Amino acid sequence: MGNVDRLNRQILTAYWIVAAMVIAVDSTYFFSGANAEEGHSPSSLLTRILLILGIAGLGELLYASFRRYGRQIVVGISLTMAYINYLNLSAYTESSPGILLMFPMFVPLIYFDRRLLDGFGVSNIVLYTAFYFLVERPFYERGIEDFALRVLMLAASLLLGRLVLIRALEIGRQVELLTQAQQDLIVDKAVSQRLLKTDALTQLYNHGTFYEYLEDLVDQCMRNGLEIQVAVLDIDNFKKINDTYGHLIGDLVLKEVSIRIGMIVAPNDFAARYGGEEFAVIFTEKTIGESAEYTERIREAVQSANYSYMGNHPVTVSVGISAYEPGDTAETLFGKADGALYRAKRSGKNRVELYDAGRDTLSVRD
């Protein structure tokens, strides 16, 4: 609605510009003395000026009062102004240019409204017919051939307008279909890329995507001093869960753990299923202490979750965490967190351990 209002406002403003141009031309032509012999008086000039200004003002008043009929008002005012200008020119010429009466036929094209075009096109032909027999024929003695030519021009302009509008609507539909097809391709591409980047079971990022992101962040650490931490989480005794309850229950446990991780990590962090029962998280914009607190919350959330589908058997995770240090690569940073994870496993499981170079062995995986 707002776009239509702006369009209507622009057209009404254009009418004021047209009115100003008509008044300027009319006044210049009058004061040049070209028609002094015809007896045109200043009062007739003033009347024409007031008439054209009154029509433009009437359009403003009607639009302000009946905005819901804005299109009809705008087209109606254009039709009225066309006939006023047509009459004004009749004061100076023996044969007014009928093209003036054709202009209102094309205003509805701006709105792409076929009904509006047909309605005002037919109205224009009927109005000119009445105008000819009531004004032009008795007062200006215009011949019937002029009438036939004007009607033919108006009918032709209506037909041309309809053809232009039909073609414009067809092009619009084609553009819409192309746009929709392009949007569908973009969506399909996004879905495909997501499928390539995520783990199907847990909907977390997969192993390959994790390493791509980790390598990019390590590069930022080297270049810009970014601080990141990596946590590696492993579900304790997961093989026993699979052996006791079956792989279907094991999959449910993996989903539950991934949900708990996703609920706790911050929007700027990166969680992935590294493989099997193992998960990895990259923490950004945090200190090592803050990241350790996040991993502790994840551990507690996993432990307190409801695993009713396996008789509320407890599920826990062990976590190793390490911070980036100058000289680290993506592999060594992950390896330090993995070494801390092994210590957490050896120390009784269900715990979070920070990497300690004096106690942990750097783990390197393929």
Side-chain angles (χ1 to χ4, degrees), residues 59-71:
E60 295 284 354
L61 179 61
L62 291 175
Y63 184 69
S65 303
F66 307 99
R67 186 158 295 190
R68 61 179 298 185
Y69 301 108
R71 296 184 181 187

Side-chain angles (χ1 to χ4, degrees), residues 155-170:
S157 65
L158 175 58
L159 178 60
L160 179 60
R162 293 186 92 258
L163 293 175
V164 170
L165 184 55
I166 290 171
R167 183 56 180 159
L169 292 175
E170 288 177 352

Side-chain angles (χ1 to χ4, degrees), residues 131-189:
F131 180 79
Y132 172 78
F133 286 104
L134 295 177
V135 178
E136 283 197 313
R137 188 174 180 84
F139 293 100
Y140 295 96
E141 298 180 352
R142 300 266 165 80
I144 195 68
E145 65 278 2
D146 287 337
F147 167 73
L149 179 60
R150 300 284 190 275
V151 171
L152 182 61
M153 290 175 59
L154 294 178
S157 65
L158 175 58
L159 178 60
L160 179 60
R162 293 186 92 258
L163 293 175
V164 170
L165 184 55
I166 290 171
R167 183 56 180 159
L169 292 175
E170 288 177 352
I171 293 174
R173 283 191 292 268
Q174 291 174 1
V175 171
E176 185 178 354
L177 290 174
L178 288 173
T179 302
Q180 184 62 49
Q182 186 178 24
Q183 290 175 347
D184 291 342
L185 286 174
I186 292 173
V187 171
D188 290 343
K189 183 178 179 181

Side-chain angles (χ1 to χ4, degrees), residues 64-205:
S65 303
F66 307 99
R67 186 158 295 190
R68 61 179 298 185
Y69 301 108
R71 296 184 181 187
Q72 291 81 358
I73 292 171
V74 166
V75 178
I77 292 299
S78 71
L79 198 61
T80 306
M81 291 188 72
Y83 276 88
I84 295 300
N85 292 329
Y86 184 81
L87 278 173
N88 281 347
L89 283 177
S90 296
Y92 298 106
T93 63
E94 293 183 359
S95 179
S96 299
I99 195 172
L100 285 174
L101 303 181
M102 295 172 58
F103 288 143
M105 309 284 277
F106 297 102
V107 175
L109 295 179
I110 300 174
Y111 300 104
F112 294 96
D113 191 329
R114 189 184 303 179
R115 292 178 59 185
L116 192 64
L117 173 64
D118 291 341
F120 275 89
V122 173
S123 298
N124 196 6
I125 294 174
V126 173
L127 182 60
Y128 176 70
T129 300
F131 180 79
Y132 172 78
F133 286 104
L134 295 177
V135 178
E136 283 197 313
R137 188 174 180 84
F139 293 100
Y140 295 96
E141 298 180 352
R142 300 266 165 80
I144 195 68
E145 65 278 2
D146 287 337
F147 167 73
L149 179 60
R150 300 284 190 275
V151 171
L152 182 61
M153 290 175 59
L154 294 178
S157 65
L158 175 58
L159 178 60
L160 179 60
R162 293 186 92 258
L163 293 175
V164 170
L165 184 55
I166 290 171
R167 183 56 180 159
L169 292 175
E170 288 177 352
I171 293 174
R173 283 191 292 268
Q174 291 174 1
V175 171
E176 185 178 354
L177 290 174
L178 288 173
T179 302
Q180 184 62 49
Q182 186 178 24
Q183 290 175 347
D184 291 342
L185 286 174
I186 292 173
V187 171
D188 290 343
K189 183 178 179 181
V191 171
S192 298
Q193 288 180 341
R194 177 170 176 79
L195 291 175
L196 292 173
K197 291 179 177 292
T198 57
D199 173 67
L201 178 64
T202 64
Q203 298 303 305
L204 297 178
Y205 289 104

Side-chain angles (χ1 to χ4, degrees), residues 321 335-336 338-344 346-347 351-363:
I321 183 171
K336 290 193 300 183
D338 206 27
L341 169 63
Y342 286 150
R343 179 157 53 87
R346 293 194 304 267
S347 302
R351 58 196 302 131
V352 176
E353 293 289 349
L354 274 63
Y355 174 74
D356 185 339
R359 294 190 293 169
D360 298 325
T361 301
L362 182 66
S363 174

